[in-house]
Amino acid sequence: MGKQPHLLVEEGDVESIAIVPGDPGRVDRIAAQCADVETVSENREYKLVNATYEGVPLTICSTGIGGPSAAIALEELANVGVETVLRCGTCGALQSDIEIGDMIVANGAAKEEGTSKRYESAVYPAVPDYGALSALVDAAEANDEAVHVGPIVSDDAFYNESEDFVADWEAANLLAIEMEAATLFALARRKGLRAGAICTVDGNLVEGTQKGADSDDELPAKAKNNVERAITLTLEAVASL
């Protein structure tokens, strides 16, 4: 397989396990907890580095915002040898008892995005690999970190999440909303890859808070701190896979 047109990598450039945050800036934050860091490529919303954590080689690659760019990243990573992807991201809570800074491990994602539906029927499940899910939960338990484990929803329209949508998702006991997991889960299943996702809560839609609402930055301080902790848990999961 030749060089991929968006990630600008080819076989031999990546490791078999990849952490896939949305934000290119988070690639650097993940790499800061690693050793042997090497930047491989940077293009558009995609930044890709290789590193090691506790002696385990891994790739860190940003996916940008939303399903379309996440699908491009997953397709191209799969083309060049990645076999496992772990999303380390942020989300908005959909239950009143989930606080900013809490962490959620998704055991499924509702397909309110459009990308996965270009690959398959909306009735097909978007679920993580059990081994990847277990590794994230086990890492949290090993580090005495409390996480919420349950279904989330992936949606395309960040600014069109109306009160009716939020009320329906809350009533369905979906824990949180983000924009990439359903696409990653569905495509990984179709390609025979392992996928999992852990996200830090940066706002609560039921309570009427949104990320950045009480901060000069995109994320409030508590969410920023827990992003670092979520990164650690993700890296610990990588070390166990």
Side-chain angles (χ1 to χ4, degrees):
M1 184 69 67
K3 181 166 284 191
Q4 301 301 297
H6 301 91
L7 301 187
L8 305 180
V9 292
E10 54 192 352
E11 285 189 278
D13 288 341
V14 301
E15 305 297 342
S16 63
I17 300 177
I19 297 177
V20 288
D23 179 8
R26 197 164 299 141
V27 172
D28 295 329
R29 295 178 68 178
I30 297 170
Q33 295 194 30
C34 297
D36 308 312
V37 176
E38 176 190 5
T39 299
V40 179
S41 66
E42 292 186 69
N43 183 50
R44 298 183 180 237
E45 63 264 54
Y46 305 112
K47 179 171 184 175
L48 190 149
V49 307
N50 287 333
T52 61
Y53 182 79
E54 296 185 354
V56 177
L58 69 145
T59 291
I60 311 163
C61 178
S62 56
T63 66
I65 295 176
S69 61
I72 288 172
L74 186 64
E75 290 270 14
E76 296 190 6
L77 289 171
N79 285 343
V80 295
V82 168
E83 299 173 351
T84 300
V85 291
L86 297 179
R87 167 162 159 70
C88 183
T90 57
C91 62
L94 293 170
Q95 302 297 319
S96 59
D97 62 337
I98 299 178
E99 298 181 357
I100 291 174
D102 283 5
M103 286 180 280
I104 293 173
V105 173
N107 65 9
K111 294 176 173 177
E112 292 281 12
E113 39 69 68
T115 306
S116 68
K117 297 169 192 174
R118 294 283 284 130
Y119 286 82
E120 63 184 21
S121 168
V123 303
Y124 294 174
V127 294
D129 169 77
Y130 180 75
L133 166 66
S134 298
L136 289 166
V137 175
D138 290 348
E141 292 178 351
N143 285 273
D144 295 320
E145 293 278 6
V147 294
H148 305 272
V149 181
I152 63 174
V153 55
S154 298
D155 185 44
D156 282 338
F158 184 89
Y159 288 106
N160 198 35
E161 293 155 354
S162 68
E163 290 183 5
D164 288 342
F165 276 117
V166 172
D168 190 52
W169 294 328
E170 179 189 15
N173 279 321
L174 302 180
L175 300 187
I177 183 168
E178 51 79 82
M179 301 183 75
E180 294 85 25
T183 299
L184 293 172
F185 291 168
L187 268 64
R189 169 176 44 75
R190 296 185 71 87
K191 292 180 173 295
L193 309 182
R194 298 187 296 183
I198 183 170
C199 293
T200 300
V201 175
D202 58 22
N204 189 309
L205 279 70
V206 175
E207 297 297 315
T209 59
Q210 291 187 342
K211 66 176 174 180
D214 62 352
S215 171
D216 291 334
D217 300 317
E218 180 180 342
L219 298 181
K222 188 177 180 183
K224 279 185 181 180
N225 293 338
N226 272 28
V227 164
E228 293 299 325
R229 291 158 66 193
I231 288 170
T232 300
L233 298 186
T234 309
L235 287 166
E236 291 289 325
V238 166
S240 71
L241 285 169

